[in-house]
Amino acid sequence: MVLSAWLGPKLMPGPGETWAFVQRELERGVLLVQVGITLQRVLLAFALAMGVGLALGFASGRSQRFEGLLEGWVALGLAIPRILPIVVAYVLLGLNELAAVLSVFLIVLPTVVVQVREGVRTLDPRLFQMSRVFGKGALEVLYFVAWPQLAPFVWGTARATLSLCWKMIVFAELLGRTSGVGYQIAFYFQMFEMRGILAYGLAITVALVALDALLAWGGQRAGRWRAREATA
């Protein structure tokens, strides 16, 4: 409040001014539409990154040969500046949905692979040996042996991935889309309207906090067996 009074409501609006702007955008029917567009892009990039990352990370953690083939690409993906895939995708594919989602998917994928791979390396090999002794099939082993041990890592990876996805999607929208929260932030930046910047930033943050809470709840449920084992 002191900062707002010092800079003035134009440069640093208070909560009241920002909330009034949010209400105005809701009445206009714009805010929820733009947040929905961004969430759609975020969830698509998130689903692609988690699906492909889980498969590659599991294979990499279980096979040293596959890890050797993949490691160079993973290291490259982790090292390059995150803005680069977005810019390259826009240049090659145009300023469209495919470029935005695909670039964010490529940015996030190496992180998913690394985290899942490290989780796979913690799996107890004795349980797999026991499963083979009892003649269990590959799907049974995957579901009843690997997944319970790996689930907490997957849920933790999902939370980090969701956070990175929404930040990079908003950035991609700011650079080259004509809809979504990132575009709205860029628009109000050009208008020098701090209330609009804060309002749309607040809206997408609230939406993603809710999704993160859902993932956190899922992670707690997935790790309940470890807590029971520790107290037994």
Side-chain angles (χ1 to χ4, degrees):
M1 296 299 291
V2 175
L3 186 62
S4 177
W6 181 54
L7 294 176
K10 183 70 174 178
L11 289 179
M12 184 54 66
E17 292 89 350
T18 302
W19 177 244
F21 195 95
V22 169
Q23 289 181 311
R24 192 195 78 176
E25 294 296 285
L26 287 171
E27 292 172 358
R28 291 176 58 218
V30 177
L31 189 141
L32 291 181
V33 171
Q34 299 301 323
V35 170
I37 291 171
T38 296
L39 281 177
Q40 183 178 356
R41 293 167 179 158
V42 168
L43 294 177
L44 182 56
F46 170 78
L48 288 172
M50 287 301 298
V52 177
L54 277 171
L56 294 179
F58 188 85
S60 180
R62 297 292 293 172
S63 170
Q64 291 185 350
R65 177 177 296 182
F66 188 80
E67 180 186 358
L69 294 173
L70 197 64
E71 183 59 30
W73 294 103
V74 171
L76 179 64
L78 292 171
I80 61 175
R82 286 173 175 169
I83 189 176
L84 187 60
I86 298 175
V87 174
V88 171
Y90 278 151
V91 171
L92 294 179
L93 302 176
L95 302 176
N96 53 46
E97 294 293 305
L98 177 61
V101 174
L102 181 61
S103 61
V104 173
F105 158 69
L106 293 175
I107 291 168
V108 175
L109 180 62
T111 302
V112 179
V113 172
V114 170
Q115 294 189 13
V116 173
R117 181 184 67 194
E118 296 307 311
V120 170
R121 287 174 175 172
T122 67
L123 299 179
D124 190 344
R126 295 172 298 178
L127 296 178
F128 290 93
Q129 296 170 1
M130 187 182 302
S131 299
R132 286 195 293 268
V133 169
F134 284 97
K136 299 299 181 180
L139 291 179
E140 288 181 295
V141 172
L142 185 64
Y143 184 77
F144 292 106
V145 178
W147 175 247
Q149 299 179 76
L150 194 58
F153 291 94
V154 173
W155 285 103
T157 300
R159 294 184 67 185
T161 302
L162 181 67
S163 173
L164 184 56
C165 276
W166 89 258
K167 292 170 185 174
M168 298 313 302
I169 282 291
V170 169
F171 188 52
E173 290 174 341
L174 189 147
L175 286 178
R177 300 303 299 125
T178 58
S179 62
V181 170
Y183 169 76
Q184 293 295 322
I185 290 175
F187 173 77
Y188 285 113
F189 168 74
Q190 294 172 0
M191 300 293 290
F192 211 67
E193 177 57 87
M194 184 63 76
R195 293 178 305 170
I197 296 172
L198 295 178
Y200 278 92
L202 175 64
I204 191 63
T205 299
V206 169
L208 269 298
V209 164
L211 287 176
D212 180 73
L214 183 61
L215 290 177
W217 175 78
Q220 291 174 354
R221 288 185 60 85
R224 285 184 304 175
W225 68 273
R226 291 181 182 270
R228 290 196 298 265
E229 185 180 68
T231 56

